[in-house]
């Protein structure tokens, strides 16, 4: 009988062959598809993306069918990926388990790496939270050209170590804004920004941007903690699968299909995650992530409002005021209509006693219905106002 | 020595992949010819009889001769759409109710726009629901009507019935939360998980930040309860039905319903999460709507409380507590062996829920 190394190598070979088969089939499938397609060379670069683009072209662009199509490819892809993950994990675990040595620590390192590669969440993120310059770059990238003048002033100030200068609102970046030299804004869509200095780029404006930056940093920190917990749970899920596999191995049981292995993985992962969800540690991390996300969103709005005011465009706060007035007026009108209806009701009821009404007509239809086999209901008048 | 318990032979794996790809080929042929409107949901024949702001009151066209005289108004939840009550022809609560001879109406709330962000629970209960009830009382010439609530709509219907007992003949509730603090079941932590999460959410901050709470945020929360089964597992299982058009259409209808929900009006959402989910005011008889206390003791009308035995979103005991709190002498429970959504779309419940409701209502006509 082959030893565990040979067995695992064999499995990896299986995985590679199966993977190749998937790609070949997909390419074959794509070859048969009609209509426009993304460039074939894109397939080699990123098959998943290529197929997702294809799905968008082949199916109703706004439809549920397109989403289902994407899931089709995603499902097959993730099944193969799970097979590779679990086989590689077994390759790592089996000899240690066999020798009665600790297997959880090396497995944890392996799975953490694996998931970080998959999700793109790497240790760099942690390093970045310690590096103001890198964080500023990241922050700036989220805002694009909209706030470039203000943000670049802040960036230059921090870059040269002049945080205090930036906090006081002065920097070379700001100067460049005022002179509008070769700035992108001269030709870009925000050419109207030339008016910005007239509203005064003051300490208050800088403070708003700084507060938004603080909220951005807070969000990054709690995201990091949240991702750490999630990755930890994924590692535990792999552990749970390894334990289940070891148990099967002892019992002489076998998993004989990709989908059965996949099912084992999904069930184990859900169990581990659901247990984590009920833990105080997770609830705290979830609360903090949600609060940090919302706080950052509010800070973003503050900064955007600053820009909108500069362009003499309505802000969300102003719209909210208008909505509130609209809401209150609507309620008042409804209440008045209702009161009027109550006042006129007795007179209408008195009339109704002497004259056939729409209500009586409805009742007659109701009565007739019982006499017909397949009654066609006479449509009563629809109403488009509150019951007034 | 441990042997590798994964015994997937290359030829078997390749065969399995080929089988899946054959299904994919057929499935894609089907999907690529499908337009979004082909995925039809909410098809039971109906007419709009009343509108107010974005609300529409639908009347489902009767199919039976012996209509129950008192109309039935269905109050749906403020999250997701009413369409789960009419997902497809053979899985439709409203069709079943109509076929049982109930003159059935349903409130569609519509999609709250930013201008609707200030709507409160009072506006929904004492405004929209009350206006619909008054409209139906007038239309049918009756003093009271029957009211059926769905999930959160059941909570709103309960509040309405407690505030306006003179207008409600019978109250029917389906998977309705009354007690929002289910406690932790360590063996099954997913049971009541959403309510337990809801307690900790900083809803003030959330509504301040979003205004109306986006449907995607609500969907994401629902999916997190079983992240792997709901985000991956069901799509892996979908591979099995790719070559079965009927099964695929059923799958797509459910997907469409799941992910095509409206945003939630901000203030009403804030109030609901804070007062109902976090502070559990309803079951404590502490909830004020407008300037009136919602006293469950005022629920003196007959009540039929239908719950799903495997409901992890609204655990049965969160609904059944109403039996202890309501002021009525005529309280009945109906257990449906299903989950939270299965009570409306499950095969078994098609034969149980609507017939049970109709029988119970006829006994009290």
């Amino acid at each position: 009988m082959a030893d565990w190394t040979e067995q695992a190598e064999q499995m990896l070979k299986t995985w590679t062959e199966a993977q190749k088969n998937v790609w070949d089939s997909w390419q074959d499938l794509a070859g048969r598809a009609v209509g426009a397609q993304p460039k074939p060379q894109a397939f080699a670069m990123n098959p998943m993306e290529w197929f997702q683009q294809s799905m968008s072209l082949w199916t109703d662009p706004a439809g549920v069918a397109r989403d289902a199509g994407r899931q089709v490819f995603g499902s097959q892809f993730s099944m193969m990926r799970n097979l590779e993950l679990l086989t590689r994990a077994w390759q790592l675990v089996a000899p240690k388990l066999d020798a009665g040595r600790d297997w959880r620590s090396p497995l944890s390192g392996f799975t953490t790496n694996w998931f970080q590669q998959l999700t793109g969440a790497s240790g760099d993120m942690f390093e970045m939270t310690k590096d103001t310059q890198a964080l500023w770059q990241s922050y700036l990238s989220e805002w694009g050209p909209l706030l470039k003048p203000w943000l670049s002033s802040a960036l230059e100030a921090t870059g040269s170590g002049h945080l205090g200068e930036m906090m006081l609102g002065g920097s070379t970046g700001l100067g460049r804004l005022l002179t509008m030299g070769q700035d992108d804004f001269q030709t870009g869509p925000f050419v109207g920004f030339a008016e910005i200095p007239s509203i005064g780029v003051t300490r208050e404006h800088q403070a708003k941007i700084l507060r938004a930056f603080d909220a951005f940093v807070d969000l990054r920190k709690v995201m990091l903690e949240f991702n750490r917990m999630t990755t930890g749970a994924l590692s535990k899920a792999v552990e749970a699968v390894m334990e289940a596999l070891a148990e099967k191995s002892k019992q002489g049981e076998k998993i004989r299909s990709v989908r059965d292995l996949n099912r084992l993985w999904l069930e184990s992962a859900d169990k581990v995650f659901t247990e984590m969800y009920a833990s105080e540690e997770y609830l705290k991390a979830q609360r903090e992530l949600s609060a940090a996300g919302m706080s950052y969103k509010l800070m973003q709005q503050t900064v955007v409002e600053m820009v909108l005011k500069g362009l003499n465009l309505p802000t969300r706060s102003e719209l909210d005021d208008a909505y509130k007035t609209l809401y209150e007026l609507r309620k008042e009108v409804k209440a008045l209509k209702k009161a009027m209806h109550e006042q006129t009701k007795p007179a209408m009821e008195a009339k109704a006693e002497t004259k056939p009404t729409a209500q009586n007509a409805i009742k007659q239809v109701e009565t007739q219905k019982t006499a017909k086999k397949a009654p066609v209901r006479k449509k009563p008048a629809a109403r488009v106002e509150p019951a007034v | 020595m441990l042997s590798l318990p994964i015994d997937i032979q290359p030829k078997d794996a390749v065969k399995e992949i080929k089988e899946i790809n054959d299904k994919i080929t057929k499935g894609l042929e089907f999907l690529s010819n499908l337009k979004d409107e082909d995925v039809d949901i909410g098809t039971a024949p109906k007419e709009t009889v009343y509108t107010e702001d974005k609300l529409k009151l639908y009347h489902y066209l009767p199919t039976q001769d012996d209509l129950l005289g008192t109309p039935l108004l269905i109050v749906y939840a403020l999250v997701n759409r009413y369409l789960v009550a009419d997902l497809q022809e053979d899985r439709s609560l409203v069709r079943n109710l109509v076929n049982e001879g109930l003159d059935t109406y349903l409130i569609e709330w519509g999609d709250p726009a930013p201008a609707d962000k200030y709507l409160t629970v009072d506006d929904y209960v004492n405004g929209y629901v009350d206006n619909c009830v008054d409209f139906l009382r007038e239309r049918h010439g009756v003093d009271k009507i029957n009211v059926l609530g769905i999930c959160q709509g059941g909570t709103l219907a309960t509040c309405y019935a407690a505030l306006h007992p003179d207008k409600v003949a019978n109250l029917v509730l389906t998977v309705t939360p009354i007690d929002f603090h289910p406690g932790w079941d360590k063996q099954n932590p997913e049971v009541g998980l959403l309510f337990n999460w809801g307690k900790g959410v900083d809803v003030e901050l959330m509504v301040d930040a979003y205004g109306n709470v986006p449907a995607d945020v609500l969907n994401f929360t629902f999916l997190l309860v079983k992240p792997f089964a709901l985000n991956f597992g069901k799509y892996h299982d979908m591979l099995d039905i790719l070559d079965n058009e009927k099964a695929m259409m059923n799958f797509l209808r459910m997907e469409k319903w799941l992910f095509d929900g409206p945003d939630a009006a901000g203030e009403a959402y804030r109030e609901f999460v804070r007062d109902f989910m976090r502070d559990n005011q309803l079951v404590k008889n502490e909830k004020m709507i407008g300037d009136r206390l919602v006293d469950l003791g005022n629920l003196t009308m007959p009540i039929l409380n239908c719950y799903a035995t495997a409901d992890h979103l609204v655990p049965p005991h969160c609904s059944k507590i109403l039996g202890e709190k309501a002021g009525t002498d005529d309280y009945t429970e109906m257990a449906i062996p299903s989950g939270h959504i299965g009570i409306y779309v499950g095969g078994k419940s098609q034969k149980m829920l609507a017939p049970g409701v109709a029988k119970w209502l006829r006994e009290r006509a």
Side-chain angles (χ1 to χ4, degrees), chain B residues 24 27 33 35 130 137 141 145 169 178 193 213 219 224 226 254 293 316 339:
Chain B
I24 288 178
N33 289 318
K35 295 264 178 283
D130 192 40
R137 288 166 65 227
I145 66 161
I178 302 294
L193 190 63
V213 179
N219 284 335
L224 268 188
K226 277 182 175 268
M254 181 56 85
L293 180 72

Side-chain angles (χ1 to χ4, degrees), chain A residues 190-387:
Chain A
F190 295 98
V191 68
F193 264 62
E195 298 300 319
I196 286 174
S198 66
I199 63 162
V201 185
T202 64
R203 181 193 296 257
E204 185 54 30
H205 291 106
Q206 295 286 2
K208 280 179 183 166
I209 296 172
L210 272 178
R211 279 196 288 271
F213 176 65
D214 284 348
F216 175 79
V217 173
D218 288 345
L219 177 60
R220 285 299 178 110
K221 280 181 180 164
V222 292
M223 270 174 81
L224 191 70
E225 175 58 17
F226 194 82
N227 285 343
R228 187 192 62 74
M229 287 192 70
T230 309
T231 310
L234 283 167
S235 298
K236 278 188 187 159
V238 178
E239 255 184 63
V241 177
M242 291 301 112
E243 281 168 357
L245 289 177
E247 192 54 37
K248 280 185 187 296
S249 176
K250 279 181 201 160
Q251 303 294 327
E253 294 172 13
K254 298 279 185 193
I255 289 177
R256 298 186 195 281
S257 80
V258 178
R259 302 173 86 175
D260 284 348
L261 180 64
N262 210 59
R263 206 161 284 128
L264 177 68
W265 160 243
L266 293 178
E267 282 169 7
S268 305
D270 256 342
K271 192 166 181 295
V272 169
F273 267 75
T274 313
E275 279 166 10
M276 178 184 77
Y277 289 156
S279 70
E280 269 310 313
E281 192 192 7
Y282 175 80
L283 289 173
K284 182 172 172 283
Q286 189 198 41
R287 277 195 297 269
E288 286 175 356
L289 179 64
S290 165
M294 298 302 125
S295 297
Y296 179 51
K297 198 170 172 55
L298 283 171
M299 289 298 166
Q300 278 180 314
Q301 285 169 12
T302 308
V303 174
V304 169
E305 290 211 350
M306 179 178 84
V307 175
L308 291 175
K309 273 185 184 168
L311 294 171
N312 200 24
L313 290 171
T315 65
R316 174 167 160 174
S317 303
E318 288 163 358
L319 279 175
D320 282 350
D321 278 347
Y323 293 152
K324 181 99 182 176
T325 308
L326 198 64
Y327 162 77
E328 283 163 356
L329 285 173
R330 212 161 56 184
K331 277 188 89 164
E332 266 184 55
V333 170
K334 283 183 187 181
L336 285 170
K337 279 187 173 179
K338 211 164 192 170
M340 277 170 62
H341 180 65
E342 292 303 317
Q343 279 180 357
T344 55
K345 211 173 176 182
M348 286 173 72
E349 279 171 358
K351 254 185 175 179
E353 282 171 15
T354 55
K355 216 173 156 186
T357 65
Q359 279 315 315
N360 291 339
I362 291 168
K363 278 183 203 161
Q364 282 163 18
V365 175
E366 298 276 344
T367 317
Q368 285 164 9
K369 267 199 302 244
T370 57
K372 289 180 184 174
K373 188 71 187 163
V376 179
R377 193 184 168 95
K378 187 180 172 185
K379 192 185 275 187
R383 182 177 284 176
V384 289
E385 287 296 322

Side-chain angles (χ1 to χ4, degrees), chain B residues 6 8 10 13 49-50 61 103 121 195 231 233 246-247 277 290 310 322 345:
Chain B
I6 306 169
I8 306 169
V49 291
Y50 172 79
L61 302 184
D103 205 359
V121 171
F195 290 162
N231 287 296
K246 187 168 180 245
M277 292 177 89
L322 186 63
V345 301

Side-chain angles (χ1 to χ4, degrees), chain B residues 178-252:
Chain B
I178 302 294
D179 180 352
F180 287 81
H181 287 185
W184 285 109
D185 177 354
K186 293 292 176 191
Q187 297 302 312
N188 302 291
E190 75 276 12
V191 175
L193 190 63
L194 275 187
F195 290 162
N196 286 321
W197 278 351
K199 280 192 285 181
V201 168
D202 188 342
V203 71
E204 308 288 343
L205 200 55
M206 183 183 266
V207 174
D208 287 348
Y210 280 123
N212 290 336
V213 179
D216 286 346
V217 171
L218 302 171
N219 284 335
F220 183 65
T221 314
F222 285 125
L223 292 179
L224 268 188
V225 175
K226 277 182 175 268
F228 286 83
L230 296 177
N231 287 296
F232 306 108
K234 74 170 177 180
Y235 299 111
H236 290 186
D237 291 343
M238 181 181 74
L239 297 175
D240 286 329
I241 57 165
L242 268 172
D243 55 351
N244 179 338
E245 288 190 15
K246 187 168 180 245
M248 267 308 284
M249 282 302 290
N250 294 352
F251 181 89
L252 293 175

Side-chain angles (χ1 to χ4, degrees), chain B residues 60-115:
Chain B
Y60 287 90
L61 302 184
T63 59
Q64 305 299 311
D65 294 342
D66 57 339
L67 275 185
L68 191 68
T70 310
L72 174 69
L73 173 65
I74 299 178
V75 180
Y76 192 72
L78 301 177
V79 292
N80 290 119
R81 284 188 206 286
Y82 75 95
L83 296 162
V84 75
D86 185 25
L87 195 68
Q88 58 190 61
E89 202 167 339
D90 56 347
R91 288 166 196 263
S92 165
L93 173 64
V94 291
R95 279 179 191 267
N96 293 338
L97 291 170
V98 169
N99 290 338
E100 290 288 340
L102 300 182
D103 205 359
T104 305
Y105 294 82
L106 180 144
I107 296 174
E108 185 193 1
W109 299 112
D111 290 18

Side-chain angles (χ1 to χ4, degrees), chain B residues 186-363:
Chain B
K186 293 292 176 191
Q187 297 302 312
N188 302 291
E190 75 276 12
V191 175
L193 190 63
L194 275 187
F195 290 162
N196 286 321
W197 278 351
K199 280 192 285 181
V201 168
D202 188 342
V203 71
E204 308 288 343
L205 200 55
M206 183 183 266
V207 174
D208 287 348
Y210 280 123
N212 290 336
V213 179
D216 286 346
V217 171
L218 302 171
N219 284 335
F220 183 65
T221 314
F222 285 125
L223 292 179
L224 268 188
V225 175
K226 277 182 175 268
F228 286 83
L230 296 177
N231 287 296
F232 306 108
K234 74 170 177 180
Y235 299 111
H236 290 186
D237 291 343
M238 181 181 74
L239 297 175
D240 286 329
I241 57 165
L242 268 172
D243 55 351
N244 179 338
E245 288 190 15
K246 187 168 180 245
M248 267 308 284
M249 282 302 290
N250 294 352
F251 181 89
L252 293 175
R253 287 190 189 100
M254 181 56 85
E255 284 289 287
K256 189 172 184 174
W257 172 72
L258 276 172
F259 297 110
D260 182 34
D263 296 348
E267 287 307 317
Y269 186 83
R270 186 200 306 266
E271 188 180 342
F272 199 85
V273 171
R274 185 191 59 211
D275 296 351
F276 290 83
M277 292 177 89
R278 191 189 71 191
D279 297 342
N280 212 15
Q281 290 179 359
L282 180 63
V283 77
K284 295 178 190 168
N285 276 346
E286 292 173 357
K287 175 62 188 160
M288 298 290 294
I289 293 185
D291 55 359
R292 293 177 61 197
L293 180 72
V294 181
D295 182 353
L296 297 177
N298 287 343
L299 296 170
T300 50
M301 69 292 296
I303 297 173
L304 173 62
N305 195 356
C306 311
Y307 60 91
T309 53
D311 192 338
H312 68 274
L313 291 176
V314 182
H317 64 274
C318 292
S319 297
K320 291 166 73 175
I321 188 76
L322 186 63
E324 296 169 28
K325 302 286 178 179
T328 183
D329 294 329
D330 184 356
Y331 175 84
T332 313
E333 285 177 358
M334 190 198 294
I336 307 283
S338 72
H340 188 74
I341 305 300
I343 196 171
Y344 306 110
V345 301
K348 267 188 198 167
S349 65
Q350 303 305 310
K351 296 184 180 73
M352 293 179 72
L353 183 59
V357 169
K359 182 171 178 288
W360 184 86
L361 285 175
R362 283 188 185 282
E363 285 167 0

